[in-house]
Amino acid sequence: MAKNTVSDRFRKVDVDEYDENKFVDEEEGGENQCGPDEAEVDALLRQGNMNAALQAVLKNPPVNSKNQNVKERAQMLVVRVLSSFKSSDIEKAVGSLDKAGVDLLMKYIYKGFEKPSDNSSAVLLQWHEKALAVGGVGSIVRVLTARKTV
């Protein structure tokens, strides 16, 4: 038998804090995310610096933003940058991205497949092929299971 049955120290532990099924929506400053800098990306595209334009468009993704207009504007800008690449330069551009960059690119590719515009599907399929070669199937799984979307 227990000696001290009147102790209530065990009641001060919040067991719900350790429950793995308890979902808490994370709010991490999504209000101030405005997406990629459109003027910077346009200037890089006009200069013909496609790799820098790709890096710039992937630099500030609106993943925490709840504003759909910001997300759609960023998506259109990414598709415009991807469409401006030559087919021969796509593999080198994807190879220059890190793992998180490839995953973000895949998020934008799948978002582009949701709302296709004129000739964007063919371009996105080319990019998907090269991104899959670099990121592997794990990249697709990470994108499809991610809670934060672009």
Side-chain angles (χ1 to χ4, degrees), residues 14 19 25 34 37 40-41 44 46 55 62 64 95-96 135 138:
D14 184 15
D19 185 14
D25 195 15
C34 57
D37 185 12
E40 176 188 1
V41 173
L44 290 169
R46 280 193 300 271
Q55 296 289 340
N64 291 331
S96 70

Side-chain angles (χ1 to χ4, degrees), residues 85-95 123 126-127 130:
F85 269 82
K86 295 179 185 173
S87 299
S88 59
D89 296 337
I90 294 175
E91 190 170 357
K92 187 176 77 169
V94 173
V123 172
Q126 289 178 340
W127 279 91
K130 304 302 181 189

Side-chain angles (χ1 to χ4, degrees), residues 29-50:
E31 298 82 28
N32 58 4
Q33 282 190 329
C34 57
D37 185 12
E38 198 166 343
E40 176 188 1
V41 173
D42 285 339
L44 290 169
L45 286 176
R46 280 193 300 271
Q47 293 171 1
N49 194 350
M50 300 301 171

Side-chain angles (χ1 to χ4, degrees), residues 127-147:
W127 279 91
H128 186 272
E129 176 188 3
K130 304 302 181 189
L132 177 62
V134 172
V137 178
S139 178
I140 295 174
V141 172
R142 285 188 295 274
V143 168
L144 294 179
T145 59
R147 288 189 175 174

Side-chain angles (χ1 to χ4, degrees), residues 29-121:
E31 298 82 28
N32 58 4
Q33 282 190 329
C34 57
D37 185 12
E38 198 166 343
E40 176 188 1
V41 173
D42 285 339
L44 290 169
L45 286 176
R46 280 193 300 271
Q47 293 171 1
N49 194 350
M50 300 301 171
N51 287 334
L54 180 64
Q55 296 289 340
V57 81
L58 296 177
K59 187 169 37 177
N60 187 17
V63 290
N64 291 331
S65 177
K66 300 220 185 272
N67 189 349
Q68 283 303 113
N69 291 333
V70 170
K71 289 186 175 193
E72 287 177 16
R73 209 170 64 237
Q75 171 61 31
M76 290 186 337
L77 188 61
V78 169
V79 169
R80 192 168 73 209
V81 168
L82 297 182
S83 299
S84 64
F85 269 82
K86 295 179 185 173
S87 299
S88 59
D89 296 337
I90 294 175
E91 190 170 357
K92 187 176 77 169
V94 173
S96 70
L97 298 174
D98 60 344
K99 180 179 163 184
V102 173
D103 288 352
L104 182 60
L105 178 63
M106 278 290 212
K107 282 184 182 184
Y108 278 118
I109 289 171
Y110 282 116
K111 188 72 168 186
F113 285 146
E114 287 178 17
K115 297 179 182 175
S117 60
D118 53 324
N119 199 26
S120 69
S121 294

